[in-house]
Amino acid sequence: MSGYQTPSTPTENTAAASRSGYTSPKAAAYLANKRTQGLSLERIVFLGRTFEEYMSIFGLAQNDLQGQKILDCPAGACSFAAEASLLGAEVTAVDMAYHFDNEELYNKGQQDIRHMIQSMTEARDQYDWSTLGSITQLENLRTEALEQSSLDRRVHPNRYIPAVLPDLPFGNKTFDLTVSAHFLFLYADRLDEEFHIRCLQELMRVTRTEIRIFPLVNLKSERVAFVEKAVAAAGQGSWEIQEIPTDYTFQKGADTLLVLKRV
C-alpha cells in the first residue's frame, strides 16, 4: 500500500504517515485484504497510548479491571496490556503489527514518534491540548507507551497476538470486556459500513459482557452517521448501545465513546 492521503485534520498516526508515506498498523491490517504477507515494516506506523490515557479514554477505574479478561484490539504500541495485567486483569493485545520482531517494532516506534512530532508541530492548532498539555508531553507519553509495551512483549509474548479483524482467533465470549481505540469509525471514509458491521459482529462474538469503542468521529472530526445503524445490524437486538462522554480530549470533536452491553 502507498499510505493514506493526509486528511484535513490528521491523527497522530496519519500525521506521521504524511511525512513518511506509511500506513497505520490499525488501518493496514484491514486494508491489506486481511493478509500480512507482503506488508513491509516500512509501511507501518507503530504508535501507542499509555495506560492512563486508556483509562481516561474509556472511562475505566482500576476496580473495573481486577479479575477481568480484557481484549485490546487493535492495540498497537499501547501499554494498557502491560499495566492492567499488574492490577489483576488478564489482558490480550491484538494487532497485525505483532507479526514483526519486537526489537524491529521498538526501533520503528522510535522513528515514528520522531516523524509524528515533526508533523504535529506544524498542525498543533488542529488539536485540543487541554488533556495532553503540549507537544513535549505528547512525545513523552508516546515514548512511555512504547517503552512499556515493548518490555512487556519481551517478558510476556503470549499476551500479544498477531491477528486481523474481522477474524479473531478466540472462542465465543472469551473476554469480559473489549476496548477498541482509534480504528473503528475513525477511518469511515475508507472502510465502509458493511466492513464495520463485520468487525462489530466479531468483537461481539468474542466478548461476554461489554465493548467500549473510541472515537465516534472520522479523520475530519465529523460524527460518523452510521454508528447506530451498524451496531444494530451487528447486534441484532442482543446489545444495548450507549454514547457517553469521555474526559480525554485531543482530536477535536472526539469527546464521546460507545459502550455496548450484552442484554
Side-chain angles (χ1 to χ4, degrees), residues 80-100:
F80 178 74
E83 296 196 54
S85 297
L86 296 176
L87 296 172
E90 182 181 339
V91 184
T92 299
V94 167
D95 202 292
M96 80 86 173
Y98 302 150
H99 279 285
F100 295 98

Side-chain angles (χ1 to χ4, degrees), residues 39-135:
L39 183 65
S40 68
L41 183 61
E42 287 69 27
R43 289 199 173 277
I44 289 176
V45 173
F46 194 62
L47 297 172
R49 288 157 183 82
T50 64
F51 171 80
E52 290 78 11
E53 287 180 281
Y54 252 44
M55 297 295 279
S56 178
I57 286 170
F58 292 113
L60 297 171
Q62 290 190 11
N63 58 12
D64 294 324
L65 307 179
Q66 191 168 12
Q68 298 294 293
K69 294 188 68 174
I70 302 174
L71 172 66
D72 181 7
C73 177
C78 295
S79 62
F80 178 74
E83 296 196 54
S85 297
L86 296 176
L87 296 172
E90 182 181 339
V91 184
T92 299
V94 167
D95 202 292
M96 80 86 173
Y98 302 150
H99 279 285
F100 295 98
D101 177 77
N102 190 49
E103 184 175 356
E104 287 182 298
L105 281 180
Y106 176 75
N107 292 335
K108 188 63 170 58
Q110 290 183 310
Q111 175 185 329
D112 292 337
I113 290 170
R114 292 192 295 271
H115 282 302
M116 177 201 68
I117 294 304
Q118 292 172 18
S119 294
M120 295 194 70
T121 299
E122 300 166 3
R124 62 179 302 151
D125 292 341
Q126 299 181 40
Y127 296 89
D128 180 344
W129 295 92
S130 56
T131 295
L132 299 186
S134 67
I135 289 180

